[in-house]
Amino acid sequence: MILCGVLLGAVALLATGQTPANVVSPSVESVAPGVWKVSWGTPEAHTPVSVLAPSPRTEALGALPEAAEPPLPPEAFRFRTNARGLVVELPMTPSEQIFGLGLHPTLFNCTDTRKEMVVNDHQEDGDGSSHAPAPFYVSTRGYGVFVDTARYARFYCGNLAPVAENASAAAEGGPADTTEDLYRHRALSAKTMTVEVPVAKGVDVYLFAGPDIKTAVQRYNLFSGGGCLPPLWGLGVYYRGHTKFSAAEVLSTAKLIRGSGMPCDVFGLEPGWHTHAYSCTYVWSPERWPDPDGFIREMRGMGYELNLWEHAFVHPDSPLRAPLLPLSGDYEVWRGLVPDFSLPEARALFADYHERELVRKGITGFKLDECDNQPNKKDPWSFPELSKFPSGMDGEQMHGLFGSLYQNRTSPKIFG
């Protein structure tokens, strides 16, 4: 009897054009001045907001223009799940333009395109994948949207046309006589922002009020913690020595720069400072650096800040290997462990070692490299999406968060 009731209810919903997944309305919550969270279903446990745990700068947010209502009507959002994951549709107007969705050297206006939030070291494909994709966009209507997911989400920025009940076709002339004409872009008269989130069965969507793009971006930045003000030398002139340079060669070059009067604030050391790199040991090579403490003192005495290249994959010879083994993923990269930096224990081990062995001795910065991925290459070097991490994250989620977690893995004493 219960089963019959469920089936009859589902039939009734389908008869009205609804699906059971659309029955539950999203909840709406004001989480900061001018910022709202629209929640639907059961979001995944590991998302940018839940894992990175930003501390919104509420006072600064309150100083921005007041916004009494969400910039988009949450009741107009449509959510549904399917075998692939979750789909959310947000209203758009035919004339608005969409910008954002992360760092990309050639893409700017995302309107009428599909963008994928995939971390990728090859950024010329035009699909939105890049070193730093971000599921945040802004509209020329003066609002911002952040979809809180670490998955490889796809954003269809007004270029999908769902089947309409009462469709009418406008005359478009005769058949195309060129390939370009056949496959030319055809803008839609009715547009929707459609976001597909793999695997997930629920999601939080954050809305940032304007009234303009600049203010929406300000709210997003302040909600994310506001960023940090780098030291002035960090914005200065930077020189990086050859990876096979020894301490003597670096010192010789550093003296030449000072003697010539050329400006230089930061001197960076490439992977050769490690006993092994790709993966890394985080230990000075005794052949090239027989007296690292003395080298650091001499370089600092000439007025240089020192920056060390590294990545997070931990070589078998590293003193960090054994303690990080139970706190790492189940696949290696270049024979190195991939630490789960979402775990406080892993962050503490990594940060304490860097502070004790490097920062206290005069190192003032690190180049945190190789946080990207090669999902479309035949021989990708990074960890696979099927990886499993002690926190419960899989490789896809970890790729979405790895760069930020790696930066946050250091204690405030290092970068504070």
Side-chain angles (χ1 to χ4, degrees):
M1 189 68 179
I2 294 176
L3 180 58
C4 291
V6 171
L7 290 173
L8 288 172
V11 170
L13 287 168
L14 291 172
T16 63
Q18 293 180 298
T19 64
N22 284 328
V23 175
V24 179
S25 298
S27 63
V28 184
E29 176 187 3
S30 175
V31 293
V35 184
W36 289 264
K37 180 172 71 171
V38 180
S39 302
W40 186 86
T42 303
E44 293 192 285
H46 305 289
T47 69
V49 172
S50 65
V51 172
L52 300 175
S55 299
R57 297 181 59 183
T58 307
E59 184 176 349
L61 282 164
L64 296 176
E66 183 178 359
E69 300 291 336
L72 290 175
E75 64 272 12
F77 292 16
R78 295 191 295 273
F79 296 85
R80 65 179 183 275
T81 57
N82 56 31
R84 293 169 58 88
L86 175 143
V87 177
V88 55
E89 296 174 334
L90 296 85
M92 281 182 63
T93 63
S95 61
E96 72 180 292
Q97 304 286 295
I98 301 298
F99 300 88
L101 300 175
L103 170 70
H104 199 285
T106 61
L107 298 177
F108 189 59
N109 191 332
C110 302
T111 312
D112 296 337
T113 67
R114 183 192 75 186
K115 296 292 175 278
E116 298 188 65
M117 300 299 99
V118 179
V119 181
N120 190 350
D121 71 347
H122 188 70
Q123 305 180 89
E124 289 75 37
D125 293 338
D127 59 0
S129 61
S130 73
H131 278 106
F136 171 73
Y137 68 87
V138 292
S139 164
T140 49
R141 291 176 59 200
Y143 66 86
V145 175
F146 177 77
V147 180
D148 187 26
T149 180
R151 295 287 178 189
Y152 293 170
R154 289 181 174 180
F155 286 72
Y156 296 86
C157 306
N159 62 330
L160 290 188
V163 173
E165 291 185 10
N166 301 305
S168 60
E172 292 190 5
D177 55 5
T178 67
T179 303
E180 292 75 14
D181 187 35
L182 178 64
Y183 293 105
R184 74 185 186 280
H185 172 68
R186 296 171 172 84
L188 300 174
S189 58
K191 294 185 178 182
T192 301
M193 170 63 76
T194 303
V195 185
E196 180 186 25
V197 183
V199 181
K201 301 303 177 184
V203 71
D204 293 328
V205 178
Y206 290 83
L207 305 178
F208 299 87
D212 49 37
I213 288 179
K214 177 182 177 181
T215 309
V217 172
Q218 281 182 291
R219 292 191 203 275
Y220 170 72
N221 182 42
L222 292 169
F223 182 76
S224 303
C228 64
L229 182 65
L232 289 179
W233 56 259
L235 303 177
V237 179
Y238 197 113
Y239 182 85
R240 188 168 283 277
H242 191 276
T243 191
K244 292 186 178 181
F245 269 10
S246 65
E249 289 170 308
V250 170
L251 287 168
S252 175
T253 304
K255 291 173 183 177
L256 178 63
I257 292 172
R258 287 290 182 256
S260 66
M262 289 188 292
C264 186
D265 301 279
V266 186
F267 203 111
L269 305 184
E270 280 289 292
W273 75 271
H274 300 262
T275 56
H276 189 281
Y278 290 88
S279 50
C280 289
T281 58
Y282 321 101
V283 176
W284 291 94
S285 168
E287 291 81 13
R288 293 194 178 98
W289 314 92
D291 180 18
D293 293 354
F295 163 79
I296 293 172
R297 287 193 299 269
E298 191 167 353
M299 289 292 289
R300 297 303 305 276
M302 286 188 281
Y304 288 101
E305 305 294 335
L306 281 172
N307 180 285
L308 300 183
W309 178 102
E310 65 170 50
H311 57 60
F313 309 126
V314 184
H315 188 265
D317 291 342
S318 171
L320 286 167
R321 170 86 180 200
L324 282 173
L325 183 59
L327 305 172
S328 300
D330 56 352
Y331 283 86
E332 295 180 341
V333 177
W334 296 312
R335 295 182 60 211
L337 296 177
V338 184
D340 188 341
F341 287 131
S342 71
L343 302 176
E345 308 95 302
R347 292 198 301 271
L349 282 166
F350 215 88
D352 290 348
Y353 177 88
H354 279 70
E355 183 180 350
R356 182 179 66 252
E357 300 296 330
L358 300 168
V359 175
R360 289 180 185 174
K361 297 180 179 181
I363 300 301
T364 49
F366 298 89
K367 175 188 174 183
L368 310 181
D369 208 358
E370 315 300 359
C371 298
D372 48 19
N373 188 21
Q374 313 74 34
N376 300 320
K377 288 186 177 179
K378 64 181 180 180
D379 57 344
W381 54 256
S382 196
F383 54 90
E385 282 74 6
L386 56 85
S387 298
K388 180 180 179 181
F389 290 85
S391 62
M393 271 193 276
D394 61 27
E396 178 183 356
Q397 293 170 300
M398 185 59 78
H399 275 301
L401 295 169
F402 195 63
S404 296
L405 286 170
Y406 188 14
Q407 293 180 71
N408 291 351
R409 63 86 173 105
T410 53
S411 71
K413 295 180 182 178
I414 294 181
F415 288 127

